[in-house]
């Protein structure tokens, strides 16, 4: 009899139901609660972690109840439901329930602006919204939905906790209530579903759309990616095919939100394996140590930021089997993290992986027994690859030779939704062998043993006096210095040369930055030809990240551009990604103008340069200090 994990040709709901066993715990859901007055430090949060446990029997029952609520609310096959929510049990019920009836979730980030919410809802003609019942998020959603008849379902972060907990929480910290027209609360939504006697399961149709997610890549420009049932099912299929086993009733800490494809597919993997997932609505990396300490999980899906917090203090990691790390920045801590895991009782290191939402999240992975420090890992399952010379179909056969990575297989998604055919055609390309490949936009090499290595983004190239080159050789030279933690090199506008390299460098030790910088420059001069060397260097505390935890190239370009403005002494940027703005730009400037005038002039300057060297600015909050 065929193993159900090896048949992806079914709806996501049916794939889950064919693989799951209605036994044991499905979810441990926990919320951090301050013990007293909360005073976060670099070391820890002073918190308790009360939790609720949801069995697989209840999980399956709640999927059915949620499906009935959707039908009672008028949602039917083919309807798009915008999901603006964080990781709570309700978002997982909603995901499988929508699949069960054939409706389609459109996942968006909760911490975006009202204008962005409106754009994402209108983009896919969504008529329903499932939103987190939190004041700031509801306020933005209310503004986004003004003048529409869109229906709202809302649930809070404590929806799954018992009534007594909710009463105590309400007394300790009263929450502002923001009401939206056409809104129905989760309790009433589930209650209304009792009128539906039976849910007719959506039948599988090949290549039907299962969900939409949004990818920000290395910039702030989001694109809606259309994902099929087969795409989501391909991830548990590929891991199982490669004998990457997640054992029933072992624990997995899930720090990646469901609105990110990496989070959605990795959750699908472990739920289809009867693993108990530990979830938390707050993605703060400083919670990670406490979660690992308290729940002693065998598995985790997480980011470099979480690992950095974990390795600050000693902890028992003897049960660790598979901690998967996705996102930029793991190279900076890989060696330290590997030693930390072994020193604290683990038989395996943390495993780096690689992928993109366009290819159903991840497709290259290190795993137990097949691991090399510094590599991204090996290809998973039925995925195939070719390394090509950029902008050609010329395949690079020789090992350890850098080119653009292109991937094909069951993970290839349907492309970008909406009015994005031009972007789809650039990324999803039919090759001479007749297969559609995702052009990943990354410089990659593969060694003789099939391990992949990352060499930088193709889009992050420097065009200097009409000559284009990758900044990776600069990064490699800078990283030779023992005191360098990480480095990012981006194009900086030059009136005379078009673009020049600008190096942004994070150190381990800042006690003598001038000496370190001089030594870095010497290394660059010794290893990089003169025409490719940076014209600007900046020592900084951290590289700003996108919402998807990737190095934010746009942020660094904005900062560099602001530093070029007349009178600016210094400009420093943070990528906050709040509901009101994406970037927080602090500017010290010599000027007699008012702050409003300075901001207006700065905006014109940044937008002008952005048009020339082609980057999208996004929304910026300015802090002006006159010197």
């Amino acid at each position: 009899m065929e193993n159900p994990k090896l048949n992806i040709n079914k709806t996501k709901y049916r794939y889950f139901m064919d693989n799951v066993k209605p036994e044991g715990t499905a979810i441990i859901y926990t919320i951090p609660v301050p013990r007293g007055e909360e005073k976060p430090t670099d070391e820890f949060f002073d918190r308790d972690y009360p939790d609720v446990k949801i069995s697989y029997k209840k999980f399956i029952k709640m999927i059915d109840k949620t499906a009935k609520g959707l039908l009672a609310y008028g949602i039917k096959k083919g309807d798009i439901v915008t999901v603006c929510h964080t990781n709570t049990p309700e978002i997982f019920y909603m995901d499988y329930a929508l699949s069960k009836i054939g409706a389609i979730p459109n996942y968006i980030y909760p911490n975006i602006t009202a204008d962005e919410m409106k754009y994402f809802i209108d983009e896919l003609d969504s008529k329903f919204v499932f939103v987190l019942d939190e004041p700031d998020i509801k306020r933005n959603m209310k503004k986004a939905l003004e003048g529409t008849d869109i229906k709202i379902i809302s649930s809070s972060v404590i929806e799954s906790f018992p009534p007594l907990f909710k009463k105590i929480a309400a007394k300790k910290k009263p929450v502002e209530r923001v009401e939206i027209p056409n809104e129905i609360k989760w309790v009433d939504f589930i209650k209304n579903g009792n009128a539906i006697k039976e849910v007719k399961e959506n039948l599988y149709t090949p290549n039907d759309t299962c969900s939409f997610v949004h990818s920000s890549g290395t910039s702030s420009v989001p694109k809606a990616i259309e994902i099929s049932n087969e795409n989501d099912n391909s991830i548990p299929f590929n891991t199982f095919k490669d004998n990457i086993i997640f054992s029933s009733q072992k624990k997995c800490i899930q720090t990646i939100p469901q609105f990110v494809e990496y989070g959605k597919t990795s959750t699908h993997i472990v739920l289809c394996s009867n693993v108990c997932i530990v979830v938390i609505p707050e993605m703060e990396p400083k919670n990670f140590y406490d979660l690992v300490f308290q729940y002693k999980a065998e598995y985790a899906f997480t980011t470099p930021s979480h690992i950095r917090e974990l390795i600050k203090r000693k902890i028992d990691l003897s049960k660790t089997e598979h901690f998967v790390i996705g996102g930029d920045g793991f190279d900076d801590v890989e060696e330290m993290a590997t030693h930390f895991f072994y020193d604290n009782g683990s038989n395996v290191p943390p495993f780096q992986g690689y992928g993109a939402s366009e290819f159903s999240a991840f497709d290259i992975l290190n795993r137990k027994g097949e691991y090399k420090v510094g590599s991204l890992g090996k290809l998973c399952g039925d995925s195939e690859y070719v390394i090509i010379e950029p902008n050609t179909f010329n395949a690079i056969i020789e090992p350890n030779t850098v080119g653009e990575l292109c991937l094909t297989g069951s993970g290839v998604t349907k492309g970008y939704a909406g009015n994005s055919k031009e972007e789809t055609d650039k990324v999803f390309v039919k090759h001479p062998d007749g297969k559609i490949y995702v052009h990943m936009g990354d410089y990659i090499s593969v060694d003789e043993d099939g391990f992949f290595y990352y060499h930088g983004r193709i889009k992050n190239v420097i065009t200097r006096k009409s000559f284009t080159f990758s900044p990776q050789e600069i990064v490699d030279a800078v990283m030779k210095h023992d005191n360098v933690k990480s480095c990012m090199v981006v194009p900086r506008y030059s009136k005379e040369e078009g673009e020049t390299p600008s190096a942004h460098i994070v150190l381990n030790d800042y006690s003598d930055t001038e000496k370190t910088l001089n030594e870095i420059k010497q290394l660059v001069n010794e290893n990089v030809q003169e025409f490719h060397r940076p014209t600007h260097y900046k020592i900084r505390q951290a590289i700003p990240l996108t919402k998807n935890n990737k190095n934010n190239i746009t942020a660094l370009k904005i900062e560099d551009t602001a530093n070029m403005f007349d009178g600016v002494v210094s400009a420093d940027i943070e990528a906050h990604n709040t509901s009101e703005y994406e970037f927080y730009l602090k500017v010290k400037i010599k000027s007699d103008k008012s702050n409003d005038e300075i901001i207006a002039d700065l905006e014109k300057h940044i937008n002008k340069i952005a048009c020339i060297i082609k980057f999208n600015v996004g929304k910026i909050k300015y802090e002006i200090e006159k010197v």
Side-chain angles (χ1 to χ4, degrees), residues 87 134 160 189 195 237 309 315 368 381 410 460-461 468 491 545 551 561 574:
N87 278 6
E134 289 288 306
S160 288
F189 166 74
F237 160 81
E309 292 300 324
I315 191 170
K368 193 173 182 178
S410 55
N460 186 31
V461 295
T468 299
L545 300 175
N551 290 334
T561 302
E574 298 172 5

Side-chain angles (χ1 to χ4, degrees), residues 215-234:
S215 172
S216 64
T218 52
S219 70
S220 303
V221 185
K223 295 185 285 289
I225 300 168
E226 192 169 0
I227 294 165
S228 71
N229 288 291
E230 297 92 334
N231 295 151
D232 271 351
N233 295 337
S234 73

Side-chain angles (χ1 to χ4, degrees), residues 133-332:
D133 196 350
E134 289 288 306
D136 289 342
I137 297 168
K138 292 271 295 285
R139 222 179 333 266
N140 282 331
M141 185 60 72
K142 184 176 183 178
K143 185 178 178 183
L145 298 179
E146 283 177 357
T148 75
D149 58 358
I150 290 175
K151 296 178 180 178
I152 314 297
I153 306 160
S154 66
S155 73
S156 74
V157 293
I158 60 173
E159 203 71 58
S160 288
F161 277 83
L164 181 59
F165 181 92
K166 293 176 183 177
K167 284 182 181 178
I168 294 171
K171 285 182 179 179
K172 279 189 173 181
K173 190 177 180 181
V175 178
E176 176 192 354
R177 296 294 174 193
V178 177
E179 303 298 331
I180 305 178
N182 298 319
E183 177 184 0
I184 184 170
K185 302 291 185 180
W186 181 263
V187 173
D188 296 324
F189 166 74
I190 294 296
K191 190 183 295 183
N192 289 351
N194 293 334
I196 305 295
K197 299 304 179 186
E198 185 181 359
V199 179
K200 186 177 180 181
E201 183 181 334
N202 175 45
L203 298 177
Y204 168 74
T205 303
N207 209 34
D208 253 6
T209 300
C210 174
S211 62
F212 294 95
V213 298
H214 290 82
S215 172
S216 64
T218 52
S219 70
S220 303
V221 185
K223 295 185 285 289
I225 300 168
E226 192 169 0
I227 294 165
S228 71
N229 288 291
E230 297 92 334
N231 295 151
D232 271 351
N233 295 337
S234 73
I235 303 302
F237 160 81
N238 280 332
T239 52
F240 184 83
K241 190 174 181 182
D242 278 4
N243 203 34
I244 302 172
I245 304 300
F246 296 88
S247 300
S248 177
Q249 285 307 284
K250 290 188 175 180
K251 297 188 189 75
C252 177
I253 297 172
Q254 177 58 288
T255 70
I256 312 299
Q258 185 80 352
F259 51 77
V260 175
E261 184 64 4
Y262 170 32
K264 183 158 66 70
T265 53
S266 55
T267 297
H268 191 40
I269 289 173
V270 291
L271 288 176
C272 289
S273 299
N274 258 85
V275 169
C276 170
I277 59 169
V278 180
V279 294
I280 186 169
E282 182 182 324
M283 307 307 166
E284 170 58 59
K286 288 183 180 178
N287 291 315
F288 190 54
Y289 176 92
D290 287 342
L291 294 177
V292 176
F293 177 81
Q294 181 165 339
Y295 295 104
K296 296 177 174 56
E298 289 84 358
Y299 315 122
F301 290 97
T302 190
T303 73
S305 298
H306 290 83
I307 293 297
R308 286 191 189 98
E309 292 300 324
L310 178 65
I311 64 178
K312 286 183 177 181
R313 290 179 286 163
K314 189 173 178 61
I315 191 170
D316 179 9
L317 295 176
S318 59
K319 293 184 70 175
T320 301
E321 293 184 23
H322 216 103
F323 275 38
V324 181
I325 321 301
D328 289 336
F330 184 60
D331 290 343
D332 306 340

